[in-house]
Amino acid sequence: MSPASAPAVRARAVLPGFRLTLGTTVLYLSIIVLIPIIALVLTGAGIGPGRLWAIITAPRTLASLRITITAAAIATVINAVYGLLMAWVLVRYRFPGRRLLDALMDIPFALPTAVAGLSLTALYSANGWFGAVLEPLGLQIVYTLGGIVLAMSFTSIPFVVRAVQPVLEELDPALEQAAASLGSRGFTTFRRVVFPAIMPAWLGGVTTSFARSLGEFGAVVFIAGNLPFKTEIASLLAYIRLEEYDYEGAAAIALVLMVLALVLLFVSNMVQLRAARYGAVTA
Amino acid sequence: MTRVLLIGAAFVLTAVLVVVPLVYIFVQALSAGWGAYVANILDPGTLHAIWLTTLVAVIVVPVTVAFGIAAAWLLSKFTFPGRGLLITLIELPFSISPIIAGICYLLLYGRQGYLGGWLAQNDITILFALPGIVMVTMFVTTPFVVREVLPLMQAQGSDQEQAAVTLGAGGWQVFRRVTLPNIRWALLYGAVLTTARAVGEFGGVAVVSGSIRGKTNTLPLQVELLFNDLNVVGAFAAATVLTLIALVVLVAKTVLERRAGRH
């Protein structure tokens, strides 16, 4: 993995630097990414299938997985609608404040999740601006599933917007004009012409948003209250197992979450691959 | 009519979901007055957390940038078996929750981990210390620079570099004189995103740092610690530092995007 002498490199390819960059990349990825992940997989394998199954199907683990998946699903539905609205408004309309609105979409990525969690918790607690209005109406957000949903949707806001925006920008307006000339009106045109074209990108954004919500930790721990069987998410349970020195328990839950994330990554890639193919056919 | 309705909805929803939570950070931090705010920032624990977070970013960002350049050069200039696997490995940290990354590190470097015994024998400390925090932050930020630089280098092709080599330029010279001017804005953009992520990382660092007060507490962990101590105003004061960094990052991002668009 040492840098090769120049003549040896030139013999391999026209451009130099193959061995040096390959060595650097492989070394970095091995130490930082691959070996730690292998450690998790090995630990999982060491636990054995029977014990692994017992940990995963323990009532508290199952409850935490159910809460995580439910909250992530609701948060994703919110972002799917809000993200589509924002992408449409930002691409199709020109109005004062549009650039600011566009820049604001990046706040949830730039802001550390712990800060988001802190602010949302204070805002929606009984003496916060929003909580003071909502709690007398019987709507408790903090320390409930609603709080988890709120934190998850905040931290994954940009995914859908940023996935749909470029595709909507590329969309040929002639298609919509043709639909309009054939008598199609507003929403029908959107449903029959625009939406099918942006759907793969939208679904890709929705999938990443869901994956991110499943793994969200920083924002959720502040607002959830973290009661076992009620508002305890899976990644927090893994963290608690670590603090109890139950490394097998932590590893088992982490493995489940990692497999879920990888399946979603695969699905997202498939959707985008189909989108690329679809685009190639129509162009 | 639809237009006005949709734009109105976009403004109202964004105000409720994004703007108010952002403004509320400063409102809360200053709720006890400027004097208390300054005192909270100057709290030794918070000051130490600011210093540690800066130190982590100062180490992580240059390493990630160097890695990003090497990986982008490798993946854009050469085809070789295993190329797809490397791309998958680079993208992986983006889909794996940081807390899982932290657990992986604990299982590898922890006292009962695979390398734990060997590390103890050789007196090397990784976990619950700076090296662990730095490494898990690198895990999380692995894709950030490559993602910005690689598409650009692929789009630009290798013709210019090949011409330079033909004219007798060495590898380093080609990179510095030909490639770097073409990718500098994307590279800077990647570095900015890496900085934001490195400064704000919570889950992964929470696992590997041990959150030792005044020792291994980064700024996001300090926010949580103060919040758990019921020092809400102090937590918000610490949070404003992170929020200001986030806002600077956003401005830098907007400027860089405009510059990149012009080139």
Side-chain angles (χ1 to χ4, degrees):
Chain A
M1 286 187 198
S2 63
S5 57
V9 169
R10 227 164 264 163
R12 289 187 77 101
V14 180
L15 284 178
F18 179 73
R19 286 206 199 166
L20 174 69
T21 54
L22 181 71
T24 311
T25 308
V26 170
L27 187 69
Y28 180 99
L29 286 176
S30 303
I31 296 176
I32 300 295
V33 181
L34 188 61
I35 298 175
I37 290 177
I38 290 176
L40 174 63
V41 175
L42 279 182
T43 309
I47 298 170
R51 174 109 181 80
L52 201 62
W53 183 250
I55 295 172
I56 295 166
T57 54
R60 190 167 164 191
T61 319
L62 278 184
S64 77
L65 285 170
R66 202 194 63 235
I67 292 159
T68 309
I69 293 171
T70 311
I74 302 172
T76 306
V77 170
I78 295 173
N79 279 343
V81 177
Y82 173 69
L84 190 60
L85 168 79
M86 291 311 295
W88 178 263
V89 168
L90 290 173
V91 173
R92 285 309 169 94
Y93 303 136
R94 290 293 172 271
F95 52 91
R98 190 184 66 92
R99 286 202 139 174
L100 179 70
L101 209 55
D102 190 63
L104 284 172
M105 289 298 102
D106 285 323
I107 293 269
F109 276 176
L111 199 67
T113 55
V115 175
L118 175 75
S119 182
L120 290 173
T121 309
L123 198 53
Y124 286 87
S125 64
N127 48 11
W129 286 355
F130 289 162
V133 179
L134 294 174
E135 290 217 346
L137 301 172
L139 279 170
Q140 164 126 26
I141 302 285
V142 173
Y143 309 140
T144 67
L145 189 74
I148 303 177
V149 170
L150 190 71
M152 284 177 173
S153 53
F154 180 88
T155 48
S156 52
I157 278 175
F159 285 111
V160 177
V161 195
R162 296 301 187 221
V164 174
Q165 246 178 333
V167 184
L168 205 53
E169 257 159 23
E170 292 294 307
L171 197 64
D172 191 354
L175 280 175
E176 284 158 76
Q177 283 155 13
S181 74
L182 293 169
S184 166
R185 291 176 141 269
F187 190 67
T188 315
T189 310
F190 178 79
R191 197 167 53 86
R192 304 282 292 264
V193 179
V194 179
F195 191 69
I198 59 171
M199 196 177 67
W202 180 71
L203 276 180
V206 167
T207 319
T208 3
S209 172
F210 185 62
R212 170 67 199 259
S213 294
L214 285 181
E216 183 47 38
F217 178 77
V220 176
V221 286
F222 281 86
I223 205 165
N226 313 321
L227 290 168
F229 298 100
K230 288 217 170 84
T231 57
E232 184 179 69
I233 54 166
S235 48
L236 179 74
L237 184 58
Y239 185 72
I240 290 172
R241 292 294 184 236
L242 281 183
E243 292 196 318
E244 296 168 350
Y245 299 104
D246 177 7
Y247 284 16
E248 291 192 342
I253 299 167
L255 262 182
V256 173
L257 287 174
M258 190 169 79
V259 169
L260 265 176
L262 293 185
V263 168
L264 287 169
L265 179 69
F266 182 73
V267 169
S268 164
N269 282 347
M270 278 298 143
V271 168
Q272 260 140 47
L273 208 66
R274 275 193 60 169
R277 219 174 283 155
Y278 175 80
V281 170
T282 49
Chain B
M1 188 57 210
T2 327
R3 183 193 132 96
V4 174
L5 215 67
L6 290 180
I7 294 176
F11 268 108
V12 172
L13 286 172
T14 306
V16 171
L17 287 173
V18 181
V19 179
V20 176
L22 190 68
V23 172
Y24 203 62
I25 298 164
F26 294 96
V27 172
Q28 284 285 316
L30 295 171
S31 62
W34 281 95
Y37 174 75
V38 173
N40 273 319
I41 295 286
L42 294 180
D43 168 83
T46 301
L47 274 186
H48 185 271
I50 294 174
W51 181 81
L52 182 61
T53 295
T54 312
L55 184 64
V56 170
V58 165
I59 300 171
V60 168
V61 175
V63 176
T64 315
V65 166
F67 161 73
I69 293 171
W73 181 275
L74 177 73
L75 296 169
S76 66
K77 309 292 181 204
F78 307 102
T79 46
F80 53 94
R83 187 175 170 275
L85 182 71
L86 286 186
I87 294 179
T88 310
L89 273 179
I90 291 171
E91 288 281 313
L92 211 52
F94 197 68
S95 4
I96 292 181
S97 167
I99 196 131
I100 299 177
I103 292 172
C104 291
Y105 273 74
L106 205 65
L107 294 171
L108 184 61
Y109 299 114
R111 209 172 296 158
Q112 301 162 334
Y114 290 97
L115 298 180
W118 183 83
L119 290 172
Q121 274 170 17
N122 291 282
D123 230 9
I124 304 172
T125 316
I126 290 187
L127 282 188
F128 312 126
L130 186 65
I133 301 174
V134 166
M135 286 171 80
V136 90
T137 308
M138 283 181 190
F139 178 101
V140 172
T141 54
T142 297
F144 280 54
V145 174
V146 190
R147 256 177 179 243
E148 300 308 322
V149 176
L150 180 59
L152 194 65
M153 279 172 79
Q154 268 173 333
Q156 286 171 345
S158 306
D159 294 352
Q160 292 183 22
E161 281 89 351
Q162 264 157 7
V165 169
T166 313
L167 294 171
W172 182 241
Q173 214 178 357
V174 173
F175 172 73
R176 211 164 46 84
R177 307 279 287 268
V178 180
T179 313
L180 194 58
N182 283 333
I183 60 165
R184 58 186 169 166
W185 298 120
L187 195 62
L188 201 55
Y189 184 35
V192 164
L193 295 181
T194 307
T195 310
R197 196 69 177 78
V199 165
E201 175 47 28
F202 181 80
V205 174
V207 175
V208 299
S209 85
S211 309
I212 306 163
R213 277 176 205 248
K215 275 200 166 162
T216 60
N217 232 18
T218 61
L219 201 43
L221 295 175
Q222 176 72 4
V223 169
E224 194 211 13
L225 189 110
L226 291 169
F227 179 74
N228 288 340
D229 284 352
L230 301 179
N231 182 357
V232 176
V233 179
F236 271 104
T240 56
V241 179
L242 289 166
T243 311
L244 287 174
I245 296 173
L247 292 175
V248 169
V249 162
L250 278 188
V251 172
K253 177 181 177 288
T254 315
V255 171
L256 286 173
E257 269 175 351
R258 241 178 259 173
R259 293 247 175 163
R262 242 180 258 156
H263 282 267

